Amino acid sequence: MDAITVGFWMFSTDNHTFHNYGTPFSYGVKNHPNNFTLFNYGYFSLIVNGKKVVTGIETNDGVWHHVLVSWQMSNGEWKIYKDGILAASGTGLSTGMIFNAQYVATNSTEM
């Protein structure tokens, strides 16, 4: 897979009291569980093929948010939109690294 885009709605009031950093989306395959992972909804971090970027985007404020995350292999460009507004972006994240498109995608639910 040389590009991926994921969108979802989320709601959280988790303030990390119990060190629960939350993972609203994770795509992985056998032996590579973090091919594309967005975690820590109090301060979003994005992992692509084991390389991580910390974005500082917060979504644990007790309000519903729409989040869209994209990445492309050619230049390692990544973007995260929060409620339709570009909240963070960059290039050079796992540039040129293709990962296998197989089966395992997970999300978490908090009420």
Side-chain angles (χ1 to χ4, degrees), residues 44 46 53-57 68-70 77-82 85-90:
F44 271 148
L46 176 64
V53 63
V54 178
T55 70
I57 299 168
L68 188 124
V69 185
S70 68
E77 181 179 30
W78 59 272
K79 295 180 182 179
I80 301 177
Y81 292 83
K82 176 181 165 186
I85 299 169
L86 182 62
S89 64

Side-chain angles (χ1 to χ4, degrees), residues 34-36 46-52 93-94 97:
N34 291 316
N35 275 352
F36 187 80
L46 176 64
I47 297 176
V48 179
N49 284 321
K51 307 292 184 187
K52 180 174 87 170
L93 181 61
S94 295
M97 297 178 74

